[in-house]
Amino acid sequence: MTPIADEALRADARRNLALILGAAREVFAENGLSAGVAEVARRAGVGNATIFRRFAQKEDLIAAVVERVMRERIDEESAQPAGGSPGAALRGFMERMIDWQLRDRALLECMPAGVLADPRLEALRTELSELAARLVAAAQRSGEVRDDVGYEDVVVLGMAVAHTAAELQQVGPDLWRRYLSIVLDGLRPGGGELPGSSPSWTSVCAGKVTAHQRHGRPE
């Protein structure tokens, strides 16, 4: 193969990859992770075989899409302006987390489905956990969040509100804000002692929150 032809092939492969990932993101965002590869291929304008040459299994394609979404999510949080109270910053984090999940079913489903346990997402998973841990710790130092709450609790509570809101969108698209306010009130100091401890970040990402609980640092 001549250099020109080889370069053209690489450009074509890059274009196909961009089309596939763009289409997959749309399909999974709209229909969830159970959506079929055939629909992704149709929207991308490529054949199923083209997708499977690049992604041997559907799970590989899902991981690539979730990686993109997580990167955007983390970048958005990292770009948030400083100012305001730590409690307000934590509330903003939870509001954006819930809003993203309601707009993107892939993000809504990836944690309970255990997608975040994929080793390929480990670096982003750690980055996200550290970001959440810093927000919770700052709100605790300012006296706006009770000391016996872990960042894992905050993530799980945000997931719970998002999943409830997804079921109630036909009833009221903004009902989640009501339930988030109730959750945030429960995070403030002054309540009764909490039973047990926060789940491990590993179990949360794997979609396997069990009685095996630990209150600790990001993993």
Side-chain angles (χ1 to χ4, degrees):
M1 180 178 289
T2 66
I4 293 177
D6 186 53
E7 179 61 31
L9 179 61
R10 288 197 295 268
D12 185 60
R14 288 194 301 270
R15 183 172 63 252
N16 280 343
L17 178 59
L19 289 171
I20 290 166
L21 289 175
R25 177 157 185 185
E26 289 180 0
V27 170
F28 294 144
E30 293 170 12
N31 304 310
L33 299 179
S34 63
V37 171
E39 176 60 16
V40 174
R42 187 188 68 78
R43 291 204 195 184
V46 301
N48 286 9
T50 300
I51 293 180
F52 286 115
R53 276 197 298 271
R54 181 62 179 82
F55 301 98
Q57 299 179 3
K58 181 183 173 182
E59 288 74 17
D60 299 325
L61 178 59
I62 289 173
V65 170
V66 171
E67 180 180 26
R68 280 189 161 198
V69 177
M70 286 181 69
R71 181 72 268 164
E72 290 178 17
R73 178 81 183 91
I74 292 169
D75 289 347
E76 180 186 49
E77 288 303 325
S78 300
Q80 291 304 308
S85 72
L90 181 61
R91 182 186 187 107
F93 170 80
M94 293 187 74
E95 287 176 340
R96 289 184 293 275
M97 177 174 67
I98 294 166
D99 182 59
W100 269 69
Q101 291 182 78
L102 291 178
R103 289 185 288 110
D104 190 329
R105 283 187 58 185
L107 198 58
L108 183 71
E109 296 176 4
C110 70
M111 192 172 285
V115 174
L116 293 189
D118 191 311
R120 291 168 290 191
L121 301 175
E122 181 178 3
L124 290 174
R125 195 170 65 225
T126 299
E127 195 173 348
L128 180 62
S129 67
E130 290 175 344
L131 191 158
R134 288 195 299 271
L135 289 170
V136 172
Q140 288 171 328
R141 288 193 298 270
S142 69
E144 297 171 272
V145 169
R146 55 193 299 162
D147 291 333
D148 55 353
V149 166
Y151 75 93
E152 304 97 333
D153 294 314
V154 169
V155 174
V156 170
L157 289 168
M159 288 166 50
V161 173
H163 279 269
T164 299
E167 297 296 326
L168 293 174
Q169 280 194 305
Q170 297 300 317
V171 178
D174 290 325
L175 268 176
W176 67 268
R177 297 185 183 278
R178 174 183 177 86
Y179 298 114
L180 177 60
S181 291
I182 295 172
V183 166
L184 290 168
D185 279 346
L187 292 176
R188 294 192 178 99
E193 182 178 353
L194 294 174
S197 58
S198 57
S200 74
W201 184 233
T202 298
S203 66
V204 171
C205 290
K208 297 177 182 177
V209 177
T210 69
H212 192 77
Q213 306 298 319
R214 179 189 59 80
H215 185 97
R217 63 184 181 278
E219 297 177 5

mmCIF file of all heavy atoms in Angstrom, residues 8 60-61 96 134 149 211:
data_model
loop_
_atom_site.group_PDB
_atom_site.id
_atom_site.type_symbol
_atom_site.label_atom_id
_atom_site.label_comp_id
_atom_site.label_asym_id
_atom_site.label_seq_id
_atom_site.Cartn_x
_atom_site.Cartn_y
_atom_site.Cartn_z
ATOM 1 N N ALA A 8 -5.044 7.651 3.574
ATOM 2 C CA ALA A 8 -6.472 7.741 3.279
ATOM 3 C C ALA A 8 -7.254 6.714 4.078
ATOM 4 O O ALA A 8 -8.349 6.984 4.579
ATOM 5 C CB ALA A 8 -6.709 7.559 1.782
ATOM 6 N N ASP A 60 -17.571 -3.236 24.902
ATOM 7 C CA ASP A 60 -16.440 -2.369 24.566
ATOM 8 C C ASP A 60 -16.932 -1.025 24.037
ATOM 9 O O ASP A 60 -16.358 0.024 24.352
ATOM 10 C CB ASP A 60 -15.551 -3.045 23.515
ATOM 11 C CG ASP A 60 -14.970 -4.358 24.011
ATOM 12 O OD1 ASP A 60 -14.670 -4.454 25.217
ATOM 13 O OD2 ASP A 60 -14.837 -5.293 23.189
ATOM 14 N N LEU A 61 -17.977 -1.065 23.254
ATOM 15 C CA LEU A 61 -18.557 0.165 22.720
ATOM 16 C C LEU A 61 -19.175 0.984 23.847
ATOM 17 O O LEU A 61 -19.005 2.209 23.904
ATOM 18 C CB LEU A 61 -19.612 -0.176 21.666
ATOM 19 C CG LEU A 61 -20.360 0.998 21.031
ATOM 20 C CD1 LEU A 61 -19.395 1.959 20.343
ATOM 21 C CD2 LEU A 61 -21.403 0.478 20.037
ATOM 22 N N ARG A 96 -26.256 19.021 38.974
ATOM 23 C CA ARG A 96 -25.727 18.724 37.644
ATOM 24 C C ARG A 96 -25.651 17.223 37.405
ATOM 25 O O ARG A 96 -25.924 16.748 36.307
ATOM 26 C CB ARG A 96 -24.355 19.389 37.469
ATOM 27 C CG ARG A 96 -24.425 20.908 37.343
ATOM 28 C CD ARG A 96 -23.070 21.523 37.065
ATOM 29 N NE ARG A 96 -22.149 21.374 38.183
ATOM 30 C CZ ARG A 96 -22.071 22.196 39.227
ATOM 31 N NH1 ARG A 96 -22.877 23.243 39.316
ATOM 32 N NH2 ARG A 96 -21.187 22.007 40.190
ATOM 33 N N ARG A 134 -13.697 15.726 47.789
ATOM 34 C CA ARG A 134 -13.263 17.077 48.163
ATOM 35 C C ARG A 134 -14.457 17.979 48.464
ATOM 36 O O ARG A 134 -14.435 18.766 49.418
ATOM 37 C CB ARG A 134 -12.418 17.683 47.032
ATOM 38 C CG ARG A 134 -11.033 17.073 46.901
ATOM 39 C CD ARG A 134 -10.136 17.938 46.025
ATOM 40 N NE ARG A 134 -10.643 18.073 44.666
ATOM 41 C CZ ARG A 134 -10.342 17.241 43.672
ATOM 42 N NH1 ARG A 134 -9.562 16.200 43.892
ATOM 43 N NH2 ARG A 134 -10.814 17.446 42.452
ATOM 44 N N VAL A 149 -21.267 11.398 57.125
ATOM 45 C CA VAL A 149 -21.650 11.132 55.739
ATOM 46 C C VAL A 149 -20.390 10.987 54.893
ATOM 47 O O VAL A 149 -19.459 11.778 55.013
ATOM 48 C CB VAL A 149 -22.531 12.279 55.189
ATOM 49 C CG1 VAL A 149 -22.653 12.196 53.667
ATOM 50 C CG2 VAL A 149 -23.911 12.239 55.831
ATOM 51 N N ALA A 211 -24.088 -5.316 52.323
ATOM 52 C CA ALA A 211 -23.904 -5.079 53.753
ATOM 53 C C ALA A 211 -22.434 -4.926 54.102
ATOM 54 O O ALA A 211 -22.086 -4.560 55.218
ATOM 55 C CB ALA A 211 -24.510 -6.225 54.541
#
